[in-house]
Amino acid sequence: MEIINTLIVAIALIVLLRGGRYFLNLAARDKRYHSYVLRIFPWVEVILWFAFIFWTISLHFGNTGIYSVLSGSMALAFVLLFGWFVLRDFFSGAVIRGSQELEPGMFIKTDTFSGSVISLGYLAMEVRAGDGEKLIVPYSRLAGKQITKMAAHGRGKNQNIKLEIYQKHGAQNIQQSIKRKVLELPWIIAGEEIKVSLMPFDDRYVAEVSFQSMKEDMLPATEEVLREFVSKEFSPD
C-alpha cells in the first residue's frame, strides 16, 4: 500500500508541476513579473521534488535505523546542489566584475553573444543584444572566456567597404551572411546598425558594407577579412 501511495503522489506531483508552469505563464501576463516567474519556478520544482523524496524516505524507512543516514544524505545533497548553482555564479561574478571593470552601458563581446550591459547583479548580468533582445547571462557561463570591451554608442568610427559579389548567390543571402561575418569581428560595435546595400552591375552586385568599429585603423583588417570571406563563401563556381 505504501508503494501505491508513493506512485500516486509522484504522478500527482508531475501533473501539478506540468500544469503549474502552464497556468503561471497565463497568470503572469504583466511582463514585469513574467521573467521572475520563469526564474523562480524551476527552484520550486527542485524543492518540491526534494520534499517528495524526504517524504518517501520517511514513509518507507522512518522506523528503521538507516533513516537518519538517508535523510542526512539527502539534506547534504540539497545543500551541495544549491551551493553549486548559486555560489558558482556568485564567485564567478566577483572575479569577472573585479578583473574586467565592467559597467552598465558598456558594450561587450564574447564568443557567444555581444551587446550593451544593462545591469550587473550578484549572480548574472543583463545584456541588451544588437537586435534589441534582453539576455540574462549567468557569470558561470563567462568564466574562463575572453570578454572584449567595446566603445559606447556614438563613439565608434563610421567605416564603409565595397565588395563585388555574383548575383546568383541571392541578395538576401548575401546581406545576411555579410552581416553575420561583420558581427563576428571583435572590434565591431554590435549595438550600432550594420548595413549592406547592393547595387546591380552586370552579373554581380556591388555591396557597400557600412558599420562602426572601435578604431579607425581597423578598416584594412576588416576589408581583408571580408574579401577573404566573400571569395570562399560566394565563389563564381
Side-chain angles (χ1 to χ4, degrees):
M1 188 64 184
E2 292 178 348
I3 295 177
I4 295 175
N5 289 337
T6 303
L7 291 175
I8 291 174
V9 173
I11 294 172
L13 186 57
I14 293 172
V15 173
L16 174 66
L17 293 176
R18 291 289 180 91
R21 178 178 287 274
Y22 174 76
F23 286 111
L24 281 173
N25 283 334
L26 291 180
R29 294 183 181 274
D30 191 327
K31 295 299 182 181
R32 292 175 299 175
Y33 303 109
H34 186 262
S35 61
Y36 292 106
V37 170
L38 294 180
R39 290 187 220 174
I40 294 173
F41 193 76
W43 285 105
V44 173
E45 290 180 308
V46 171
I47 292 172
L48 287 177
W49 278 115
F50 265 95
F52 169 75
I53 294 173
F54 273 114
W55 173 78
T56 303
I57 292 174
S58 177
L59 180 66
H60 292 279
F61 303 100
N63 297 322
T64 65
I66 200 175
Y67 172 72
S68 59
V69 176
L70 291 175
S71 60
S73 299
M74 287 303 304
L76 179 61
F78 180 79
V79 171
L80 291 176
L81 179 67
F82 180 82
W84 170 251
F85 282 103
V86 176
L87 295 182
R88 65 173 181 167
D89 287 319
F90 179 81
F91 287 114
S92 295
V95 172
I96 291 172
R97 294 196 308 273
S99 60
Q100 296 291 337
E101 299 180 354
L102 300 177
E103 297 177 358
M106 181 179 292
F107 279 85
I108 63 172
K109 188 167 188 175
T110 70
D111 58 351
T112 55
F113 72 91
S114 63
S116 174
V117 177
I118 300 174
S119 64
L120 297 164
Y122 288 108
L123 304 179
M125 71 166 66
E126 291 189 19
V127 177
R128 181 77 65 185
D131 58 2
E133 183 182 4
K134 185 172 74 171
L135 307 176
I136 298 176
V137 186
Y139 289 118
S140 56
R141 283 183 52 190
L142 302 174
K145 293 186 177 181
Q146 180 179 356
I147 300 176
T148 303
K149 293 181 287 186
M150 301 186 291
H153 280 288
R155 297 183 182 177
K157 303 298 181 181
N158 292 314
Q159 296 184 333
N160 297 279
I161 293 174
K162 289 186 178 181
L163 307 164
E164 289 190 7
I165 304 172
Y166 287 92
Q167 293 186 22
K168 67 176 184 177
H169 295 287
Q172 186 175 6
N173 178 44
I174 292 171
Q175 290 175 319
Q176 292 178 348
S177 298
I178 291 179
K179 284 183 180 180
R180 283 197 298 267
K181 186 61 181 179
V182 171
L183 282 170
E184 291 177 3
L185 304 177
W187 55 82
I188 300 299
I189 300 178
E192 300 292 347
E193 185 178 6
I194 297 172
K195 296 180 180 179
V196 180
S197 302
L198 301 178
M199 180 69 68
F201 178 75
D202 293 336
D203 61 341
R204 307 183 185 188
Y205 285 119
V206 176
E208 183 173 358
V209 187
S210 303
F211 53 90
Q212 286 198 9
S213 66
M214 297 173 60
K215 298 180 180 180
E216 192 171 1
D217 58 5
M218 295 308 298
L219 181 60
T222 307
E223 187 170 3
E224 181 181 354
V225 170
L226 290 182
R227 291 195 183 281
E228 183 179 353
F229 171 74
V230 167
S231 66
K232 293 181 179 179
E233 188 74 11
F234 304 113
S235 63
D237 299 331

